[in-house]
Amino acid sequence: MSVLNCIKTVMVACLAIGVVTGCRGDRVQSTLHAAGPPARAVADLWWVMFAVLGIYTLAVFAITGYGIWRKPPAATDDQTPEKNEFFGSTKLILLGGIILPTLILVPLLIYSSAATASMRYRPSGLTIRVIGHRWWWEVQYPDHHIETANQLVVPVGQPVRLELAAGDVIHSFWVPQLHGKTDMLPGKVTVTWLLAERPGIYRGQCAEYCGLQHALMAFEVLAVPPAEFVQWLNHAGPTGQRPTGQRQAVQQPAGEGALETNAVQHPGEAAFFRHGCAACHAIAGTAALGRMGPDLSDLADRRMLAAATLLNTREDLFRWLKDPQSIKPGVKMPATLASDEELWDMVDYLMELKSGKLTLPGGTSDPNS
Ligand SMILES: [Cu+2]
């Protein structure tokens, strides 16, 4: 009897899991709320699989239940009471074991292969290069010489080519509402694509276990209307080459008239250099050229900090600078010896590092709101 109870419990548990996990209405990182073609291919495939295999599973449950609860055949003198019954016959084994699975699985295989093929499209045009690091994302727009981190700005309605790589271990780039997972491998460039159909903030997540802070290795894709995207491009790039004057955006945060001469250094900038931050971080237009951590040239434009772990507010930025290890234990940024006053100066300085003005896509389409 205990085997029976076990089977019953498993059946109930399966149903319960389905009901409970299906209930959450929020769309953050939901593959079932596709906002672009590759993600839709995944979602459609999922629904088809769910429907077909759901029916199949229910049928198997029903037959199992029938086997468990039907009245046992009366014990008679007849040695083979079930010989003529359908259940227990070779016919059933052929039908249920070979014919039905073939009829169901072969079309599913063809369909899923077609879905996979449709995701293999490689657009040319706007290319974004993303490099996974433990535990943040380096983001480059190679054609526009833009460097940023943990946030991708993309134009709505246009296919974007993504070139992915890794700086240390294997990571996996995944924005569930926009496309399927793509591995990021050290020493090899993998290519995928996305197209955001409507403006919004789409959250992505590293999908390949990569060490201590893997779970806090997230990012956001901000999809904005094309005109605004072009505006952002014009303001944001190119970074990393100060004297060209092409980058209007990084305002040297200093007193009046200090823009060109840079004569008066912001106390926060001074503290930034004094405390060795420049060894790991780059800020366009300054001598900070570090590559170990995220480029901070447009930090104030980021919605989130530390790979979508904290909202980018003054308070959270302060907390992060003061003790990053308490927020992401093991993170590759050491705590600093700077005083609170120096830290607030740095916060003031960093919060002025804006490139382009970007109206964050909001309203109803913001999945994080
Ligand atoms: Cu990772």
Side-chain angles (χ1 to χ4, degrees), residues 43-67:
D44 289 349
L45 180 64
W46 188 87
W47 279 114
V48 169
M49 292 258 184
F50 177 65
V52 174
L53 300 179
I55 293 168
Y56 203 85
T57 306
L58 287 180
V60 170
F61 278 10
I63 295 169
T64 313
Y66 174 79

Side-chain angles (χ1 to χ4, degrees), residues 134-135 168-172 181 183-184 205-217:
R134 279 176 296 175
W135 291 278
D168 36 42
V169 298
I170 300 179
H171 302 271
S172 181
K181 294 170 189 173
D183 275 0
M184 309 172 101
Q205 167 72 44
C206 179
E208 179 79 48
Y209 180 71
C210 58
L212 264 187
Q213 288 305 332
H214 162 70
L216 293 183
M217 180 170 168

Side-chain angles (χ1 to χ4, degrees), residues 251-270:
Q251 302 141 355
Q252 213 42 43
E256 324 85 57
L259 193 63
E260 285 88 16
T261 60
N262 195 22
V264 187
Q265 203 184 28
H266 190 290
E269 185 180 354

